[in-house]
Amino acid sequence: MAEPLRIALAGLGTVGAGVIRLLDTNAALLRARAGRELQVVAVSARDRDKDRGVDLSRFAWDDDMTAMAARDDVDVVVELVGGADGPALTLARGAIAAGKALVTANKAMIAHHGPALAEAAETAGTALKFEAAVAGGIPVVKALREGAAANAIERIYGILNGTSNYILSTMEATGADFADTLAEAQRQGFAEADPAFDIEGTDAAHKLAILAAIGFGSRVDFAGVDCEGIARIRAEDIARAETLGYVVRLIGMADVETGPDGTPALLQRVKPCLVPRGHPLAHVTGATNAVVAEGNFSGRLLFQGAGAGAGPTASAVVADLIDIARQTKEGGEIGAPFSIPSAEMAPMARAESGHRTGRTYLRFTVADRPGVLAELTAAMRDAGVSIESLIQQGRQEEGGEVLVAMVAHEGPERNVAHALELLRGSDSLTAPPLSMQILEG
Ligand code: NDP
Ligand code: HSE
């Protein structure tokens, strides 16, 4: 059997400890599949004395992650520290510069620095792999890079953040409070170190930007993702959606359209959406993720599975290690990290969305006084928005606020935006309105 693949592991939190557990539990199977042993030689984290539920006494400990990455007895560095910049990025750059293969679960770093790291890895002739960075245990990066590689990808969309999905689906099922549900997601290890990344949609935007780059061959454009999270979703929105036949889900969507001059433009969005109860994404609950990729020959491909947590994420990290073990043993082609060489990942223009059409859910909280409903519907009329249905919640208390939810018929998005603009600053509104697209198809 070939020499072991020697691994340095930086970060021993939820995912790092999960990787060690997986390597221990499945050691014989991994040896057989990789054709060699996957052997951790050194580890690093902040606190050497922390009990992580795994035996670390077998490994060298190095407080300096970057020095660890450069060790002569290390072939692959696994970065499980997190953060777009700072120590994770220093480690990644240092590892690649030292000619080591790099495996990471760090979507923030790949979304911000993926092209530069890919270019460095290609120049160094080493591997950069990040399966765990998108959708936890679902092998969707590999599926797009390899299984669906024969297709022009026309659209990618799905549920890309386990924490948000856990919060929304738990609120829907139990009526639980937002803050309590988030605390439980944190306890279970799904949430980011700063959970604002989850609930504000940033984490899903990181993942969408990575998937779009692989799917469309464009340069990663995280800044180009139009992003809105779930922080403004109220229990009442979930209840209204249910009455109307929908569930609320945080959806990432990306597609490419061709402008009048023939130039392709990329539209990337992360938004809470209403999903019809019959749609496959409506049944995705808890920390599960689901990704739909539409290929021009494959048709619609749906990938679903655990999107977060120690075990599923470790599964993706170790799959990358197996790939590297096989490639380096067999002298095989390492392959460009984003499927095409980084020099060919062209920046793509950002598409406007105003001309896109769809149905929209709108929720207003308004003062309970005569004429308010007329003001809302007049704004819709003046902006050319046709109302399909409207629900007004009964008065809770004298002079209190009233919740008005409506669904607008299919029409251009710019019309809805215009209606909301007409209502901006109205003293009838007690809070900014919320609008959510309805996912069709
Ligand atoms: P944790 O917060 O649980 O673990 C982070 C680890 O990094 C800890 O061991 C910590 O050390 C170490 N660390 C943090 N800062 C430093 C530093 N400055 N120097 C040295 N070590 C440091 O994070 P997760 O395991 O949850 O996530 C790791 C990565 O995986 C992140 O990029 C995350 O986005 C990604 N990811 C996470 C998923 C999940 O479900 N949790 C799923 C998919 C991806 P110490 O323990 O000593 O404090
Ligand atoms: N915080 C992330 C999530 C972890 O909830 O999806 C998995 O990437």
Side-chain angles (χ1 to χ4, degrees):
M1 187 164 283
E3 294 292 306
L5 182 77
R6 298 162 303 172
I7 300 160
L9 181 52
L12 296 165
T14 302
V15 183
V19 166
I20 292 180
R21 228 171 277 124
L22 194 161
L23 291 172
D24 284 346
T25 307
N26 288 353
L29 174 154
L30 296 173
R31 197 178 308 116
R33 294 201 175 142
R36 56 205 285 210
E37 191 183 342
L38 304 184
Q39 181 188 69
V40 176
V41 296
V43 295
S44 180
R46 276 180 301 215
D47 180 357
R48 188 172 184 161
D49 299 326
K50 197 189 270 185
D51 178 7
R52 301 166 193 279
V54 287
D55 172 20
L56 299 177
S57 63
R58 309 163 270 174
F59 315 129
W61 177 281
D62 201 326
D63 285 322
D64 181 343
M65 293 188 292
T66 309
M68 176 181 75
R71 286 170 64 120
D72 288 340
D73 61 351
V74 165
D75 304 308
V76 186
V77 175
V78 180
E79 184 280 305
L80 300 172
V81 172
D85 301 288
L89 183 61
T90 305
L91 172 68
R93 286 176 173 153
I96 293 170
K100 315 294 184 184
L102 181 73
V103 173
T104 180
N106 189 337
K107 50 269 166 138
M109 182 176 75
I110 296 297
H112 285 273
H113 304 289
L117 291 173
E119 197 178 333
E122 288 163 26
T123 305
T126 193
L128 164 63
K129 298 189 81 72
F130 45 83
E131 182 63 69
V134 182
I138 308 175
V140 66
V141 170
K142 198 176 184 72
L144 287 177
R145 280 185 84 243
E146 298 181 22
N151 291 268
I153 300 296
E154 294 172 338
R155 189 159 78 124
I156 298 173
Y157 66 97
I159 294 170
L160 298 172
N161 182 262
T163 301
S164 297
N165 205 60
Y166 179 81
I167 293 172
L168 291 172
S169 59
T170 305
M171 286 171 74
E172 170 193 306
T174 68
D177 172 73
F178 189 107
D180 291 347
T181 322
L182 171 59
E184 181 55 22
Q186 288 177 289
R187 201 190 60 74
Q188 295 199 34
F190 308 148
E192 295 303 300
D194 175 0
F197 279 80
D198 297 295
I199 61 178
E200 289 172 7
T202 315
D203 177 75
H206 288 149
K207 294 165 180 167
L208 185 71
I210 296 169
L211 284 181
I214 300 169
F216 306 125
S218 51
R219 202 164 173 86
V220 184
D221 183 16
F222 165 67
V225 184
D226 176 10
C227 180
E228 179 187 332
I230 62 166
R232 294 185 57 226
I233 307 293
R234 297 167 36 155
E236 291 94 327
D237 295 311
I238 292 173
R240 289 301 151 266
E242 190 175 3
T243 310
L244 295 162
Y246 301 98
V247 297
V248 180
R249 294 286 181 268
L250 184 69
I251 303 290
M253 306 170 247
D255 61 37
V256 174
E257 65 180 36
T258 307
D261 61 353
T263 314
L266 175 63
L267 186 65
Q268 304 179 96
R269 312 203 249 194
V270 170
K271 303 268 175 192
C273 291
L274 260 58
V275 179
R277 248 191 248 117
H279 193 286
L281 296 189
H283 305 287
V284 177
T285 57
T288 305
N289 283 187
V291 182
V292 177
E294 295 173 355
N296 64 341
F297 277 74
S298 63
R300 179 187 291 191
L301 303 168
L302 170 63
F303 306 93
Q304 184 170 334
T313 312
S315 158
V317 169
V318 176
D320 280 346
L321 290 171
I322 294 173
D323 267 356
I324 291 169
R326 287 173 174 159
Q327 283 160 346
T328 47
K329 174 170 110 16
E330 293 158 5
E333 185 57 39
I334 285 168
F338 286 92
S339 185
I340 63 170
S342 52
E344 292 171 27
M345 295 169 66
M348 213 180 264
R350 294 174 188 166
E352 296 295 326
S353 61
H355 63 285
R356 303 268 181 131
T357 58
R359 291 158 69 231
T360 310
Y361 165 92
L362 293 156
R363 181 255 287 159
F364 302 92
T365 46
V366 295
D368 186 9
R369 60 168 188 251
V372 168
L373 199 54
E375 186 183 341
L376 296 182
T377 54
M380 298 299 140
R381 179 199 62 210
D382 294 346
V385 176
S386 165
I387 299 168
E388 179 182 307
S389 57
L390 186 148
I391 303 173
Q392 179 174 329
Q393 185 183 296
R395 178 197 298 222
Q396 301 290 316
E397 62 195 41
E398 186 73 26
E401 69 177 18
V402 170
L403 189 143
V404 177
M406 52 177 90
V407 172
H409 274 299
E410 172 146 4
E413 291 180 21
R414 68 164 68 89
N415 290 8
V416 173
H418 181 43
L420 297 181
E421 196 51 45
L422 291 176
L423 290 165
R424 184 194 290 267
S426 163
D427 65 3
S428 299
L429 303 184
T430 57
L434 175 82
S435 73
M436 289 191 271
Q437 288 176 358
I438 297 179
L439 188 75
E440 314 280 2

